[in-house]
Amino acid sequence: MTEHTDDPTAPHPADPDTADADGTHTLGLLYPPAGRGREYTTMQLAFVGGVAEAATKYGYDLLLSPAGTDDDDSFRRMVGGRRVDGVIVMEVCREDERVEHLADTGFPFVAIGRNPRTDVTGWVDLDFAGLAAGCVQHLADLGHRRIAFVNRSEQLFGSGYGFARLGDDGYTEAMTKLGLTPHAYLCGDDLASGEEAVERILSDDPATTSLVTQNEAALEGVYRGLTRRGRGVPRDFSVVGVAASPWAEQVSPPLTAAEIPAKEMSRVAVDLMAERLRSPGSRPRHVLLKPLITLRASTGPCRPVPGSEPEPEFPDFDIDF
């Protein structure tokens, strides 16, 4: 795991007993559910637990809000009613009303995720563009040339979720630089959607031999879809992604993946929030994590699909009989 921060000399977070004695001793977490049916995904719940655990070490309780906009009633109660000392914003969109409101009013906040407006405060994020590009390069190094991309849902992508857009940007740019044709697919966060995505990929281009995904909730469905189409992983088809290790290791074969360090990101966000509350005028820190790809068993050398390779060209000979 590598980390970039724009201010490595920033002070360490405050001790728990330095919190404002007149505050609420509560932090807010703005975290709209991303799963189908407005449910929190397993990954989201890992972040909720991570933030709650880290906040406790500073003597703070945690108040969770599913607000995705600044006109949501729970957002108004949390922020307008000053029920919390500060807010951690998640699922940050490129155009985010919650971030705009907090920045304009000066309410203390930090973000897990980023857009240009979050630069006024502290944030921690993964380099999703760089990770997607690294996954493409890993497959290209193995000889793969037909590489698809399985992203998050149409709803999340359409609403401008940063990680979905950044991942798409990184994949597309990497494919283009390699002279390859990008084929990106939006996919719901569930097993059935993963199967459907594979069906679309192989229907569009039966010669596809690999894919990159940052949709771990659909990963098992991706594997099932490949099995139903007779593609063994990694013998006939390689899969690489961005996923937390528990999910990468529970599929068979285990997924070669760049780690999503939910617990570490949660801890860093709470550290940044504590710094923000202790020293409101200090320069905000921006922490960009760049985890390495962990090699497991889901990727291997490219084996072209029979019949997908162009016929060899033979020189013409002038032969007189």
Side-chain angles (χ1 to χ4, degrees), residues 135-311:
C135 289
V136 169
Q137 187 62 58
H138 171 66
L139 292 171
D141 290 343
L142 291 170
H144 295 276
R145 293 296 176 266
R146 289 180 163 96
I147 305 169
F149 180 56
V150 177
N151 203 339
R152 300 295 294 278
S153 70
E154 182 176 359
Q155 175 190 0
L156 292 184
F157 189 85
S159 64
Y161 271 46
F163 61 87
R165 295 296 183 91
L166 289 168
D168 182 78
D169 291 345
Y171 162 78
T172 301
E173 182 177 350
M175 292 288 286
T176 302
K177 285 184 176 179
L178 290 170
L180 306 177
T181 303
H183 293 284
Y185 295 82
L186 299 177
C187 175
D189 297 333
D190 58 85
L191 187 151
S193 295
E195 291 190 65
E196 293 168 4
V198 169
E199 189 64 33
R200 282 182 284 148
I201 289 168
L202 295 182
S203 294
D204 290 346
D205 183 4
T208 303
T209 61
S210 60
L211 66 81
V212 176
T213 182
Q214 58 181 27
N215 189 332
E216 59 190 6
L219 182 58
E220 186 177 349
V222 167
Y223 273 43
R224 287 193 184 187
L226 290 169
T227 299
R228 296 178 78 174
R229 292 293 293 260
R231 305 291 180 93
V233 178
R235 182 192 63 200
D236 309 306
F237 201 101
S238 288
V239 182
V240 62
V242 181
S245 56
W247 290 271
E249 293 170 355
Q250 74 181 5
V251 293
S252 181
L255 181 72
T256 292
E259 173 79 2
I260 297 180
K263 190 169 185 177
E264 180 178 358
M265 294 178 73
S266 300
R267 176 190 59 76
V268 172
V270 174
D271 288 349
L272 294 175
M273 187 76 260
E275 292 175 15
R276 173 76 173 84
L277 294 173
R278 182 190 62 185
S279 305
S282 63
R283 180 184 175 187
R285 285 201 297 144
H286 302 148
V287 181
L288 188 64
L289 300 176
K290 301 179 180 181
L292 301 175
I293 294 176
T294 299
L295 299 178
R296 296 189 178 93
S298 65
T299 56
C302 177
R303 293 180 58 185
V305 178
S308 67
E309 294 299 292
E311 294 293 331

Side-chain angles (χ1 to χ4, degrees), residues 81-138:
R82 291 278 171 174
R83 293 186 175 184
V84 297
D85 295 336
V87 168
I88 297 173
V89 187
M90 295 196 65
E91 308 294 23
V92 176
C93 298
R94 288 189 173 180
E95 301 290 335
D96 199 304
E97 298 172 357
R98 302 167 303 167
V99 170
E100 291 292 336
H101 180 105
L102 294 167
D104 289 344
T105 60
F107 195 93
F109 80 101
V110 298
I112 299 179
R114 68 192 192 279
N115 66 18
R117 197 70 166 104
T118 59
D119 285 348
V120 302
T121 190
W123 55 253
V124 56
D125 200 8
L126 286 185
D127 182 11
F128 283 101
L131 294 179
C135 289
V136 169
Q137 187 62 58
H138 171 66

